[in-house]
Amino acid sequence: MLTDLLDDLPMQNNPVLIMGDINIDSLKEHNEKTRFNEFLASYNLRRLILPATRVTHNTASSIDCVCTNIAQHNIDVEVVHTGLSDHTGQYCSIGIPTRAIKTLTSSRRHLNNRNLEHLKQYLSTQDWESVISVNSVEETYNNFSNIIASALNTACPYKRTRTRHSTKGRVINDTEAMVMRQTFQSAWQKYNQSGRDEDKRDAVEKKKIYDLKLRALRRLASEEHIQLANNKSKALWDIINGERRPKGLQASNMQLRIRGKLVNYPKAIADHMNSYFVNIANETLKQKNVVSQLPSDGNDVLSLQTMSLQPTTLKEVQKIIDSLKPKTSAGNDEVSAKLLKYCKNELSPILVHIINKSFSQGIFPSALKSAKVYAKHKKGDKTETSNYRPISLLSTFSKVIERVALARLLGHLKWNGLLTDRQHGFTGGRSTITALIDLIEHIIDHLEDGELLLAYCLIIAKHSTA
């Protein structure tokens, strides 16, 4: 394993430092020690001399190693008692000149409280005549969108900033835990000196208490992180992903297989994924031999009362805006839900006008039909397009309009009795739990009546051969 590692490292003119538990004692002369030192010398490396790193009442060995090609005067190793295991820890400091690192910069809007307040004041003094006076829904929304873009450029202009690497770790200082650590270390040193079984049991018990305390502190820190976060779902997934695995490839070094060749040019990757996502639905239907069938004549269509889109009100729109999660993600117009909630009083009246005009003319603005699409890796080879799924970031304004339309649709279905009492999904006050309760009560009622029950369970398998 070390051979494969060192063969891949650019060893020449580069500092190399390898640390870890190699399980080869350097305090005694034996064949394994000689072979290991000769192996390191073949790569121009040497093992530093360390004191005993694992000590018991009757043994002392130095099985943890620090191997390097750095000059002796530029490296310093200190053995520390961490209390995390029966091994000591190695704290290594190196004094080598650092190479100049190219500073990465990015251009983004600064949506701090000062700029948001400036945006709020700008919108409050805005003349919306160019939006209200036109008849076309398309022109109405385009004028509205231009005003929003101008306001953002004025109050929250783009600025180039340095890219900062965020640190996920959180430092936890707890006096009780530090006392427990010192108590455990004292008990372990006592066992090393005496070698008695009762001293060992006492040290193990104190170590267990210390470990449980550390787990409790981490749990409390995670709970506090989630509690203080504005977006609790994101904070929760940050913790889960941080424990599960590191992040995958970034867009800058992403590679994709296109027509049998690996391509890393961003525009070519974006165009290929765009074409794939646009056509995948039709291609899948063709492969499954599924043909979309429409009623052949008017007799196949139920005669129902036409649904009317009643005008919305300022109260309804503001209630919908309040219900939005304060996310910072945004569509092409760069207006996030958090920004819309901040400027609710300034934007909701003009939104009412746009929504009502859209309903009266039966036209949804074309600008709201486009979205930012991000490719999310699902599984498997990251160079295969089929292993990605699209995530669309829609305009926050479109979500407000859709929620108003949804309220009209659900009202129409309920008024005309189009939803069965067995419908539990996508209806208010119902869920999978109410569906299970309804099924259990149905079974119990028939069993009490002495009837025979028969159930058909449909199981859909992803790779079913049935």
Side-chain angles (χ1 to χ4, degrees):
M1 292 174 62
L2 282 175
T3 300
D4 294 339
L5 171 66
L6 295 174
D7 285 342
D8 292 336
L9 285 179
M11 304 285 292
Q12 188 174 6
N13 299 326
N14 286 315
V16 176
L17 179 64
I18 302 175
M19 303 177 68
D21 176 10
I22 201 65
N23 205 27
I24 297 177
D25 190 4
S26 65
L27 300 181
K28 299 178 181 179
E29 297 298 329
H30 50 88
N31 187 40
E32 282 190 347
K33 175 184 175 181
T34 303
R35 289 175 55 195
F36 183 59
N37 289 336
E38 291 176 351
F39 165 78
L40 293 175
S42 66
Y43 289 94
N44 195 28
L45 299 173
R46 69 186 187 283
R47 182 178 181 178
L48 301 186
I49 300 175
L50 298 180
T53 59
R54 187 176 186 273
V55 180
T56 65
H57 69 282
N58 57 1
T59 62
S61 58
S62 180
I63 58 178
D64 302 282
C65 70
V66 178
C67 308
T68 185
N69 60 358
I70 302 173
Q72 187 69 39
H73 62 276
N74 283 332
I75 187 167
D76 181 39
V77 181
E78 179 184 356
V79 176
V80 293
H81 295 273
T82 63
L84 299 177
S85 73
D86 57 349
H87 290 236
T88 57
Q90 285 73 53
Y91 184 83
C92 188
S93 302
I94 55 177
I96 58 175
T98 58
R99 297 178 180 177
I101 300 176
K102 183 179 180 181
T103 303
L104 299 178
T105 60
S106 61
S107 181
R108 65 181 182 89
R109 297 189 189 277
H110 289 259
L111 300 178
N112 50 45
N113 291 335
R114 183 184 63 183
N115 289 352
L116 288 178
E117 189 61 31
H118 185 193
L119 177 65
K120 190 179 180 72
Q121 294 176 1
Y122 184 92
L123 292 174
S124 64
T125 59
Q126 181 62 44
D127 181 14
W128 301 101
E129 183 62 26
S130 61
V131 178
I132 299 174
S133 60
V134 297
N135 295 323
S136 169
V137 174
E138 295 287 355
E139 190 176 356
T140 297
Y141 185 80
N142 289 338
N143 292 343
F144 170 76
S145 180
N146 291 335
I147 293 175
I148 296 298
S150 176
L152 285 173
N153 290 332
T154 301
C156 311
Y158 276 99
K159 291 185 178 180
R160 298 196 66 83
T161 57
R162 293 182 179 179
T163 301
R164 295 181 179 179
H165 299 284
S166 60
T167 54
K168 297 294 183 181
R170 295 180 295 278
V171 178
I172 303 172
N173 293 321
D174 184 82
T175 304
E176 185 179 358
M178 296 176 66
V179 172
M180 289 181 177
R181 173 185 170 182
Q182 294 172 357
T183 304
F184 153 67
Q185 289 180 339
S186 299
W188 192 258
Q189 291 176 0
K190 182 179 179 182
Y191 162 67
N192 287 336
Q193 295 174 358
S194 66
R196 297 186 302 176
D197 292 339
E198 53 268 26
D199 290 339
K200 181 179 181 180
R201 288 193 295 268
D202 180 60
V204 170
E205 184 63 26
K206 287 182 169 57
K207 177 66 164 59
K208 183 178 180 181
I209 296 174
Y210 175 54
D211 289 343
L212 292 175
K213 180 63 177 179
L214 292 182
R215 292 181 185 178
L217 288 174
R218 289 189 63 187
R219 183 172 62 252
L220 290 175
S222 298
E223 292 175 356
E224 183 181 2
H225 175 65
I226 297 172
Q227 188 68 26
L228 297 178
N230 292 328
N231 190 338
K232 301 189 185 307
S233 297
K234 183 178 183 301
L236 177 61
W237 279 109
D238 285 342
I239 294 174
I240 294 174
N241 291 330
E243 295 291 337
R244 185 176 58 175
R245 62 176 182 268
K247 291 187 176 180
L249 293 176
Q250 301 297 320
S252 59
N253 57 4
M254 181 179 178
Q255 288 185 329
L256 203 66
R257 192 175 301 279
I258 302 177
R259 290 183 290 275
K261 296 182 179 180
L262 285 178
V263 178
N264 58 6
Y265 183 50
K267 186 178 185 304
I269 292 176
D271 290 341
H272 180 73
M273 281 195 164
N274 179 67
S275 176
Y276 175 81
F277 291 146
V278 167
N279 298 308
I280 185 60
N282 291 332
E283 293 297 328
T284 303
L285 292 176
K286 289 180 181 179
Q287 294 176 5
K288 302 294 183 180
N289 294 323
V290 177
V291 180
S292 179
Q293 296 181 351
L294 296 176
S296 57
D297 53 51
N299 296 329
D300 297 331
V301 182
L302 295 176
S303 177
L304 297 174
Q305 181 180 356
T306 304
M307 184 182 72
S308 62
L309 296 174
Q310 298 295 329
T312 186
T313 62
L314 180 63
K315 182 179 179 180
E316 181 183 20
V317 170
Q318 290 188 341
K319 184 178 179 181
I320 291 174
I321 294 176
D322 289 335
S323 67
L324 296 175
K325 294 181 180 180
K327 295 183 177 181
T328 56
S329 57
N332 294 324
D333 54 16
E334 301 182 272
V335 178
S336 64
K338 183 178 181 180
L339 191 150
L340 178 58
K341 291 169 74 74
Y342 195 90
C343 302
K344 175 186 69 174
N345 295 329
E346 289 73 26
L347 293 177
S348 53
I350 194 65
L351 277 177
V352 171
H353 174 78
I354 294 174
I355 294 172
N356 289 337
K357 183 172 288 187
S358 175
F359 284 179
S360 63
Q361 297 184 16
I363 298 175
F364 190 76
S366 299
L368 295 178
K369 296 179 182 179
S370 61
K372 287 182 180 178
V373 179
Y374 289 88
K376 175 70 174 179
H377 179 253
K378 297 182 296 183
K379 61 179 182 178
D381 188 358
K382 292 186 177 182
T383 64
E384 294 296 332
T385 313
S386 58
N387 291 332
Y388 291 83
R389 66 179 177 90
I391 295 179
S392 299
L393 295 182
L394 300 170
S395 168
T396 308
F397 297 127
S398 71
K399 297 177 182 178
V400 176
I401 300 176
E402 288 171 358
R403 290 202 182 187
V404 176
L406 176 62
R408 307 296 182 269
L409 175 60
L410 292 177
H412 174 77
L413 296 176
K414 183 177 180 180
W415 179 261
N416 290 278
L418 298 177
L419 291 180
T420 174
D421 291 338
R422 303 295 183 185
Q423 174 71 31
H424 291 269
F426 307 101
T427 54
R430 294 196 174 193
S431 64
T432 54
I433 295 178
T434 59
L436 288 173
I437 293 174
D438 186 46
L439 174 62
I440 293 172
E441 290 181 348
H442 176 77
I443 294 174
I444 292 175
D445 290 342
H446 285 274
L447 288 177
E448 290 179 347
D449 294 337
E451 297 179 356
L452 180 64
L453 286 171
L454 180 63
Y456 289 94
C457 298
L458 178 62
I459 301 176
I460 302 177
K462 186 173 182 181
H463 299 290
S464 176
T465 57

